[in-house]
Amino acid sequence: MNAPPPPLAPTGRSQTAGDLLEVSMGPHHPSTHGVFRMNVVLDGETVVKLTPVFGYLHRNHEKIAEKNSYLGSIPYTDRLDYICSMTNNWAYVLSVEKLAGIAVPERAEYIRVIVGEMTRLFNHACLAGFLLQDMGALGTPLMYAFREREKILDLFEALSGSRMMCNYMRFGGCRCDLPEGWPEKAARIGAGFESFLDEFEALLTGNEILRARSEGVGVLPRELAVNSGVTGPGLRASGVNYDIRKVDKYGIYDRFKFRVPLGERGDVFDRYMVRILEMRESLMILNQALHDLPDGAIIDPKVRLRNLRPKAGEAYGRIESPKGELGFYLISDGGPIPYRYRVRPPSLINLTVLEDMCMGHTIADVVIILGSIDIVLGEVDR
Amino acid sequence: MLGLGILKGFMETGRNFCGSYYDPERLTTVQYPEERLEPQANARTIPFLIYDGSDPIGGLRCTACTICEQECPAHCIEIVKDTAKKPDYLGKMQLHPKVFDIDTAVCMECGICAEVCPFDSIKMDQVFERAGSHRRLTLHKDDLSKSNEYYNKIHPAEAAAVDAARAEEQKKAQARKAAAAVPATP
Amino acid sequence: MQTLEQIKDRIAAALPGARLAVIANASPAGQPSLLLDHEHALEAARFLRDAPELRFDYASNATGVDWPERTVKERVKVKKMIDGVEKETEELAERKIPGCLEAVYHLYSMELGQGPLIIRLRTGNRTDRVTLPSLTPVWRSCEFQEREIFDLFGIVFEGHPDLRRILMWDGFEDHPMRKDYAPAASGEAKA
C-alpha cells in the first residue's frame, strides 16, 4: 500500500495574485446534505476561503418548545436530527429527568440502550454511504446501507408506530413495551448487520479510490478539534479519547464492555474508519443489552407525563449521539412549560472547523470533507 | 496490488446483484402499489375518533374535554363544545363536541393526543394513501369518526384491552347504580 | 473535581479584584454556576482553560437566557411602632428584579474528564447595555454559538471575530428568542 500523500499546504498566494472565483455552493446542491450553503472562494480549484451560511431550515425549535409542555416537545426533538430520532428523544428525556429528579426503571434503560445503539448503527452506515456517494460511488454503497437501515426501521415501527419520527421515550421510561418477539428479531437483525459490515468493508475499506480520495484530506489536528468543540467520531478520529458513554456513563453504559476506536491522523479516512469500528462496538453493546434485558416496568408509574412541573432550577443533560454530544439545557420556573429550552446541536458546532479543514484543498475535496463531518440540517438550523 | 480492492468490491456488488434474485434479505423492497406490505400493529398515521353503536356522530366517545387540544404539540386540533349533555357509556352526563377539527396539514402524527385522551376516544389511524383531488386538509367530525370495529381491526391487541377495561367499568357502574337503587333498610 | 466554591477561590486568588458569585440551582440536577464580571471574564476563562488541575479545555454549550424585568412578592418582616411598642409584623412587599440578558457556558475538561462547570455572564440591562466580552478567543467552539446568541437574544459580544446573524437573515431586526418578541411586529405572518 502506498504511503498517504502529505496534506496539502494552504496556498500562500495573496488574493490579488490571481483571479479568484467565488462560488455559492448550495443551498440546493446535492452534495451539501440538505439546505446548507457554503460561499467558497476559489483560486483555480483550490479553496482559499469558505464561509458557511446557515438558517435555510430555521424554524426556531427552541421558541416553539418554550410554548409547549414538557411532553409536547418530545415529538419536536424527533425532527432535529431526523435520522436519529431515538437518540434525540433520549437526550431530551435525560435532561428532563435530571431537571425533575426522575428515576428510570431498569428495563426501560436497557431498551434505551438497544434502540440508541441501533440508531448509531444505521446512522454510521448511512453516513458511510453518503460519503461514498459524495466521492462518486453513486448509489451502490448508500443503497446497501439503506437496505440494512430499512430492517432496523421496521423494528422501530413495530416498537413505536413510526419509522423515523419515533416519539418513543418518555421521562421516567419509554412509552410502550416491546412487542412479542421483538428482542429475538432484533438479535437476528443484529447478527445480519455483522455480516453486512463485513461485506461493506470488503466493498469499501480496501478500495484504492476511496483511499486516494480520503487519506490526508481534511486533516483536523487534535488541539483544534478540542478547542473548537468538535465531538463524536470526528473528535475521536483526531485521536482524542472522549466518548460521553464512557465519561458520563449515563443510563447504564457502565455495565457494558466496549472499546472506543480512535484515529491517528484525523483525516477523512480516519473519520470513515472510526465510524466503521464504532458500528462493531455498537453491535457488541447491542448483543450484551439484548442478552441481559430484564423484565419489569417500562415507565415509572408515579411520573406525571401531562402537567409535569419541575421545581424551579436548571439542568444540562447530554448524551453521545451518533453525531456527537447532543445536549439539552433546560430552565424551569416551576411552571408546566420550560422557561428556557436549549439544544446543543453537535452538527452545527462540528461545522466550526469546516473552513480550517477545507483550506488548501480542491473544491471536490470540500464535498467529501463536509460529508465526513456528518451533518443533518434539521439539527444545524433547528 | 493496485486494483485488488476494486476487484474485491466488484465481487461484493456481484454477490448482492445475484443475491437479490433469490434472497429476500438482499432485496427488501416490494413493487408498490401492486404489492403491499401489511402495516405493523403499532403503526400510526393521523388520528381518528371512535364511535360506539351505529351512529357515527351521536355515538362518539369524545366528551370535548379539550385535553388533546391543549396537549397537541402542533396545536392542530380545534374543539367547540356543544351545550347539550348526553349520557356516556357509564350513564354519566357528558358534553359532546359541536366542532372537532384536525388540520392534517399541520398534524405531525405524533400520537400524543391518543396518549393523553382519558376517554379512549381519539386513536391513531393507519391510512396512508390520503392523496385526493381536493385541497381539503382540515378534517371535520364526520370525516374523523370511525367505528370501534374498525379500531379493533387495525389495532387488535390495544383495542381488546380498551374494550375489556370499558366493559369492566360499565359493570362496576351498573353495580353501583343497582346498589343505590335499593333503598337502605333500617 | 473541585467544588465550585474551591474553583471560585482559585479564580479569586489568580485574578485579584474579580467579582465572582455562585448562583445556586434548586433543581435535583445540582448544577450551580459561577457568575463572572465583564472585566475579568476573558482572563478567568483563560485561567479555567489553562490551570493544570482545572483544564476546562472544552466549552460544550454556550447559550443565552432572557430575563425580563419582573416583580416578585415576598413576605418581609418589618418593625413597626404600634401604640408606642415596637412590634415585628410581616408585610407583603414587592421587589423589582431588573431585567438582563444572560450568556451561559457549559465547560468540560476532556483532558481530565470532569465537568460540567457552568459560568454565566450578565448584561447591564436588556436595551442599551447589552455588551459582553466574547469567549471565542479562548474556546473556538463558542464562535457559532455566540453568533446565535447575538442573533436570537441580541447580546453583543466584544472581541468576537465575526459577529453576524447566523440563523435569521441579515435584514432581520428583532431578536426572536426574547420573551417579549412579537412576530407580527417584524412583518412576519402571525403564528
Side-chain angles (χ1 to χ4, degrees):
Chain A
M1 192 54 59
N2 296 339
L8 297 167
T11 49
R13 297 171 67 176
S14 74
Q15 299 219 343
T16 51
D19 287 333
L20 295 179
L21 180 68
E22 188 171 339
V23 180
S24 174
M25 206 168 151
H28 298 292
H29 194 279
S31 75
T32 55
H33 294 229
V35 280
F36 179 59
R37 180 175 152 212
M38 298 172 270
N39 274 337
V40 194
V41 179
L42 296 174
D43 179 2
E45 261 194 275
T46 313
V47 177
V48 293
K49 188 171 168 7
L50 186 148
T51 325
V53 183
F54 306 97
Y56 291 94
L57 204 60
H58 181 53
R59 55 211 183 269
N60 220 337
H61 174 81
E62 295 175 6
K63 189 85 176 176
I64 297 171
E66 286 169 22
K67 293 185 169 164
N68 269 332
S69 66
Y70 285 91
L71 174 66
S73 289
I74 297 177
Y76 279 106
T77 61
D78 290 338
R79 287 146 177 89
L80 278 173
D81 169 0
Y82 40 77
I83 295 185
C84 319
S85 63
M86 286 291 193
T87 46
N88 297 346
N89 282 181
W90 194 356
Y92 175 62
V93 297
L94 188 86
S95 306
V96 178
E97 280 155 10
K98 272 193 172 179
L99 183 69
I102 300 171
V104 184
E106 190 154 304
R107 182 173 171 85
E109 290 278 25
Y110 272 91
I111 294 176
R112 284 182 184 184
V113 169
I114 291 167
V115 294
E117 292 307 322
M118 283 182 166
T119 306
R120 198 180 317 278
L121 281 177
F122 68 64
N123 177 76
H124 285 355
C126 291
L127 185 271
F130 281 124
L131 181 63
L132 268 290
Q133 175 106 340
D134 291 343
M135 281 183 199
L138 287 177
T140 308
L142 182 62
M143 284 305 133
Y144 290 173
F146 267 24
R147 186 187 65 205
E148 297 309 308
R149 170 171 177 253
E150 197 57 40
K151 295 172 187 165
I152 299 180
L153 289 186
D154 279 346
L155 281 177
F156 281 9
E157 189 181 10
L159 177 60
S160 72
S162 187
R163 295 151 48 77
M164 287 169 74
M165 303 298 139
C166 296
N167 182 19
Y168 177 62
M169 291 180 197
R170 294 287 178 270
F171 7 100
C174 300
R175 182 156 54 87
C176 47
D177 207 344
L178 303 176
E180 193 80 17
W182 197 92
E184 293 75 34
K185 229 188 261 174
R188 205 162 57 237
I189 284 169
F193 208 95
E194 186 99 59
S195 55
F196 158 72
L197 268 185
D198 294 337
E199 277 184 20
F200 205 54
E201 275 215 84
L203 176 67
L204 301 175
T205 306
N207 188 300
E208 286 82 0
I209 302 173
L210 179 131
R211 298 216 138 189
R213 283 299 302 277
S214 62
E215 279 176 336
V217 171
V219 173
L220 179 62
R222 189 192 157 102
E223 287 71 32
L224 183 65
V226 172
N227 192 254
S228 44
V230 174
T231 42
L235 175 74
R236 293 189 283 275
S238 294
V240 184
N241 187 354
Y242 196 75
D243 187 321
I244 298 169
R245 291 175 293 176
K246 287 276 189 199
V247 177
D248 278 12
K249 298 190 175 64
Y250 62 90
I252 47 164
Y253 269 113
D254 49 346
R255 298 187 194 175
F256 302 114
K257 229 181 100 205
F258 66 101
R259 293 167 297 173
V260 180
L262 297 178
E264 279 176 351
R265 294 190 298 269
D267 55 6
V268 172
F269 183 76
D270 276 6
R271 286 193 279 278
Y272 158 80
M273 207 56 218
V274 161
R275 286 191 173 93
I276 296 280
L277 295 173
E278 246 175 48
M279 279 193 269
R280 299 210 182 262
E281 299 304 315
S282 283
L283 279 171
M284 265 177 68
I285 301 175
L286 185 65
N287 288 337
Q288 292 171 53
L290 282 169
H291 182 259
D292 300 343
L293 181 68
D295 286 329
I298 196 78
I299 190 161
D300 183 354
K302 291 195 294 292
V303 173
R304 300 183 61 175
L305 289 179
R306 271 189 67 219
N307 233 332
L308 180 81
R309 289 164 187 267
K311 240 170 46 181
E314 60 174 57
Y316 179 70
R318 57 177 196 160
I319 68 159
E320 179 77 31
S321 93
K323 306 265 188 300
E325 173 185 333
L326 177 64
F328 280 82
Y329 173 57
L330 301 166
I331 302 182
S332 164
D333 59 355
I337 57 172
Y339 182 82
R340 176 83 179 97
Y341 168 104
R342 149 84 177 165
V343 189
R344 186 239 185 243
S347 293
L348 173 74
I349 295 161
N350 289 356
L351 281 174
T352 311
V353 283
L354 179 64
E355 184 176 13
D356 304 64
M357 282 152 78
C358 292
M359 280 296 217
H361 289 296
T362 60
I363 189 150
D365 288 339
V366 170
V367 172
I368 60 165
I369 292 168
L370 179 71
S372 73
I373 295 178
D374 192 6
I375 60 168
V376 163
L377 266 289
E379 188 177 80
V380 173
D381 288 343
R382 283 161 294 134
Chain B
M1 189 189 90
L2 194 72
L4 203 66
I6 296 175
L7 280 177
K8 246 167 95 184
F10 274 134
M11 269 173 64
E12 284 307 323
T13 23
R15 185 164 20 182
N16 274 286
F17 173 70
C18 300
S20 69
Y21 280 97
Y22 59 88
D23 187 358
E25 292 288 304
R26 291 196 193 273
L27 187 70
T28 52
T29 47
V30 296
Q31 294 291 331
Y32 178 84
E34 287 81 21
E35 280 175 80
R36 278 155 194 275
L37 296 173
E38 275 296 303
Q40 310 248 24
N42 267 343
R44 59 178 147 87
T45 58
I46 55 162
F48 71 99
L49 297 172
I50 300 182
Y51 69 87
D52 291 314
S54 56
D55 181 4
I57 299 298
L60 279 180
R61 287 180 185 174
C62 177
T63 62
C65 67
T66 70
I67 287 177
C68 54
E69 188 182 14
Q70 293 157 25
E71 283 297 323
C72 174
H75 305 289
C76 70
I77 304 178
E78 195 194 339
I79 299 174
V80 177
K81 291 179 185 178
D82 207 339
T83 43
K85 285 191 176 184
K86 280 188 253 177
D88 68 353
Y89 71 110
L90 297 176
K92 243 162 87 185
M93 295 304 274
Q94 297 277 19
L95 283 173
H96 275 254
K98 191 172 174 186
V99 176
F100 196 112
D101 287 354
I102 292 181
D103 189 348
T104 53
V106 180
C107 176
M108 54 182 178
E109 306 173 0
C110 62
I112 292 232
C113 51
E115 199 181 330
V116 297
C117 181
F119 300 97
D120 292 309
S121 144
I122 189 164
K123 294 288 170 193
M124 301 310 281
D125 209 341
Q126 287 189 339
V127 288
F128 53 91
E129 293 155 315
R130 285 189 284 127
S133 53
H134 56 79
R135 288 190 185 168
R136 209 163 49 85
L137 289 167
T138 302
L139 298 183
H140 304 299
K141 202 165 62 170
D142 40 341
D143 307 313
L144 292 167
S145 175
K146 290 186 177 175
S147 69
N148 191 27
E149 285 72 54
Y150 176 75
Y151 177 42
N152 269 287
K153 205 182 94 201
I154 59 171
H155 301 296
E158 195 188 303
V162 168
D163 281 352
R166 280 170 74 90
E168 184 68 21
E169 268 178 65
Q170 211 164 4
K171 224 158 78 190
K172 269 190 205 156
Q174 271 164 358
R176 267 203 305 276
K177 222 175 175 179
V182 176
T185 44
Chain C
M1 186 175 144
Q2 293 174 319
T3 63
L4 196 63
E5 284 293 338
Q6 286 169 323
I7 293 173
K8 183 188 156 203
D9 293 343
R10 289 184 53 101
I11 300 176
L15 303 168
R19 296 187 308 281
L20 309 161
V22 172
I23 312 276
N25 179 10
S27 99
Q31 296 172 336
S33 45
L34 191 62
L35 182 71
L36 304 179
D37 62 355
H38 297 189
E39 297 79 42
H40 298 88
L42 202 62
E43 289 304 306
R46 267 211 190 95
F47 174 76
L48 287 174
R49 186 190 63 185
D50 297 335
E53 337 44 88
L54 300 174
R55 291 290 290 142
F56 287 100
D57 48 5
Y58 163 48
S60 156
N61 178 40
T63 187
V65 186
D66 181 18
W67 298 102
E69 188 181 273
R70 66 214 148 115
T71 47
V72 281
K73 284 185 179 161
E74 288 175 330
R75 288 199 172 275
V76 272
K77 283 184 178 158
V78 272
K79 282 180 181 166
K80 260 189 183 169
M81 295 291 277
I82 303 170
D83 305 330
V85 189
E86 198 182 52
K87 274 188 180 171
E88 209 176 42
T89 54
E90 270 197 355
E91 262 184 15
L92 209 60
E94 282 194 351
R95 188 162 60 92
K96 246 188 195 167
I97 301 175
C100 70
L101 298 167
E102 204 174 43
V104 186
Y105 298 81
H106 288 77
L107 313 178
Y108 286 88
S109 171
M110 280 191 186
E111 198 176 295
L112 306 176
Q114 59 187 18
L117 173 70
I118 306 163
I119 57 175
R120 311 177 99 91
L121 297 168
R122 281 182 186 162
T123 61
N125 59 21
R126 297 174 71 241
T127 46
D128 51 347
R129 287 163 55 211
V130 289
T131 310
L132 288 180
S134 167
L135 301 188
T136 305
V138 185
W139 296 288
R140 241 192 94 189
S141 55
C142 300
E143 185 181 337
F144 287 167
Q145 303 190 70
E146 282 183 348
R147 268 178 77 183
E148 194 183 312
I149 301 170
F150 164 72
D151 187 357
L152 302 181
F153 287 90
I155 300 178
V156 178
F157 287 97
E158 231 160 39
H160 190 284
D162 181 26
L163 198 65
R164 288 177 295 127
R165 284 195 178 270
I166 183 167
L167 294 171
M168 306 303 281
W169 57 98
D170 286 333
F172 190 77
E173 271 166 12
D174 212 340
H175 303 290
M177 280 305 286
R178 289 209 186 177
K179 290 284 172 186
D180 48 6
Y181 169 75
S186 43
E188 289 178 76
K190 213 171 171 186

